[in-house]
Amino acid sequence: MIAKTITGSSFAGALAYGAGLRTEHINKQAELLSVANVGSHDAAGIADEMQAVAALSSRIQQPVWHTVLSWAPGEQVSRAQKLQAAALYCELIGASLARHQVAVYEHKDKDHPHLHIYINRVPMDGGPALRSDHNYARNVRVTRQIREQLGMTPLPARRQSTNDLSPNTEITRRYVRSHLTAALRDGSIRSFDQLVARLQEQQIALQLKRDGKGVLVGTSFRYQHISVTGSDVGIKAQQLRDHFRPFGYEGLRTPPHYHPGSSRGIAAGTAPVSTGNGAPGRLIRGSDESGPAGSSPGRGDAEQNENEVRRRRRRPRL
């Protein structure tokens, strides 16, 4: 479970989105699950009631508290659990249901369960408003407590980061990791070029970032307009270098359109460069001060470049 919070000034726009009535985001699968301290059950009426209470405070300029509470794709969550989680969230975040107006909508337009919780930060009793500082840290703490109390699936420890706020990013991370792991387990994938082609079949674009020596130093993946890094999916550039190094030069060969000295990423799906005789062009720096390329059988160019960088670092400055 993760939570993402934004604040705003207009209950009318926020509640219209929750109810699936915004013209640019029509969602016929939106359902009002519960309300607290409002008599209306339509978005416009709830918004009017909340706005009237918010007007009692001239200090709070952004009275709308909107939290998206999401579970992992595939996690089974009953209606009763969703209602319990929403009520617990409000209490634990500091919006007592005895003092604050709340409306909870469920959207069913994604492959993961998620709720939209709307809270009026201005309480009905004239007391202190709901704090809006440190939302991220508070959400992490609150969702952990909800999971523990309701026995829901916990997140891996490494996932406590700002990237966890977007359910769509989490879906992309899982999708990319699944297909990347499968490709690396396939014995027929013996080079970066083949990996790029395999991932492109799954609509995943791979970008490789190399330093001025041609050594792979970073990766990123893009799927359905969302990008994640190699670190996000748990497979870094060093691991890819180690994986392909046993296959020699062909495994570590820089993809097409890479220009030595440039650190620009290389987009997936480009065609191989030819030397004119049908053989792939050599795009990585082919030799260094230790001798011409090929003088160390079985060693890839990227490894030679790394060794050169180490040697230069050891040289004393004059």
Side-chain angles (χ1 to χ4, degrees):
M1 177 193 296
I2 57 177
K4 177 182 178 180
T5 295
I6 58 174
T7 58
S9 58
S10 171
F11 283 103
L15 271 298
Y17 177 83
L21 303 177
R22 291 268 290 272
T23 55
E24 70 273 25
H25 295 290
I26 293 295
N27 177 13
K28 297 184 182 301
Q29 300 183 69
E31 178 186 358
L32 179 65
L33 290 189
S34 66
V35 294
N37 302 311
V38 293
S40 301
H41 284 76
D42 63 284
I46 296 172
D48 287 343
E49 291 187 49
M50 288 188 172
Q51 202 70 53
V53 171
L56 299 176
S57 173
S58 59
R59 186 174 62 86
I60 304 301
Q61 299 301 308
Q62 292 193 311
V64 182
W65 177 289
H66 175 198
T67 288
V68 183
L69 194 63
S70 303
W71 286 264
E75 186 173 356
Q76 299 300 311
V77 187
S78 68
R79 182 186 182 90
Q81 287 176 312
K82 292 170 185 174
L83 289 170
Q84 285 180 294
L88 265 175
Y89 177 84
C90 292
E91 296 290 343
L92 293 172
I93 206 68
S96 168
L97 296 178
R99 301 177 61 236
H100 291 266
Q101 296 170 307
V102 178
V104 180
Y105 287 90
E106 179 180 12
H107 285 187
K108 301 177 182 179
D109 56 333
K110 306 291 184 183
D111 64 354
H112 60 279
H114 65 288
L115 307 178
H116 291 261
I117 303 173
Y118 298 92
I119 302 172
N120 188 347
R121 291 181 55 218
V122 178
M124 299 178 298
D125 60 8
L130 174 62
R131 291 167 41 211
S132 61
D133 58 316
H134 306 297
N135 287 346
Y136 168 68
R138 292 165 65 195
N139 277 331
V140 169
R141 182 180 67 252
V142 166
T143 52
R144 183 186 300 118
Q145 291 177 268
I146 295 173
R147 291 195 303 270
E148 291 173 352
Q149 290 191 42
L150 301 184
M152 294 176 173
T153 304
L155 291 172
R158 73 174 184 84
R159 292 290 324 288
Q160 305 300 326
S161 73
T162 53
N163 292 330
D164 299 328
L165 296 180
S166 169
N168 290 334
T169 299
E170 167 62 11
I171 292 170
T172 297
R173 183 185 289 122
R174 288 171 180 259
Y175 182 84
V176 170
R177 179 174 176 79
S178 173
H179 287 287
L180 177 60
T181 301
L184 294 177
R185 287 175 179 168
D186 186 341
S188 67
I189 305 297
R190 301 167 65 89
S191 70
F192 279 120
D193 282 351
Q194 292 172 330
L195 178 63
V196 164
R198 174 62 60 84
L199 293 179
Q200 191 178 31
E201 293 174 0
Q202 307 301 326
Q203 308 303 311
I204 300 171
L206 166 61
Q207 288 194 328
L208 305 175
K209 182 179 180 181
R210 296 181 183 267
D211 64 15
K213 290 291 185 178
V215 177
L216 181 67
V217 294
T219 59
S220 66
F221 306 84
R222 188 170 181 83
Y223 173 68
Q224 292 188 345
H225 308 294
I226 297 177
S227 295
V228 293
T229 66
S231 297
D232 289 335
V233 301
I235 301 177
K236 299 181 180 180
Q238 176 67 56
Q239 292 168 276
L240 291 179
R241 294 203 309 266
D242 292 344
H243 178 83
F244 287 115
R245 183 171 285 114
F247 302 121
Y249 161 69
E250 281 300 316
L252 292 167
R253 184 169 65 85
T254 305
H257 304 311
Y258 170 73
H259 301 286
S262 169
S263 61
R264 291 180 300 172
I266 310 303
T270 50
V273 172
S274 172
T275 59
N277 57 6
R282 188 176 183 80
L283 299 176
I284 293 181
R285 184 170 181 262
S287 63
D288 58 23
E289 294 181 8
S290 63
S295 59
S296 299
R299 187 172 67 173
D301 292 305
E303 185 176 353
Q304 292 181 26
N305 289 333
E306 288 179 288
N307 290 339
E308 169 63 10
V309 170
R310 294 191 189 100
R311 281 196 295 273
R312 291 190 176 184
R313 286 174 179 168
R314 290 195 296 265
R315 292 172 185 165
R317 293 181 179 273
L318 298 179

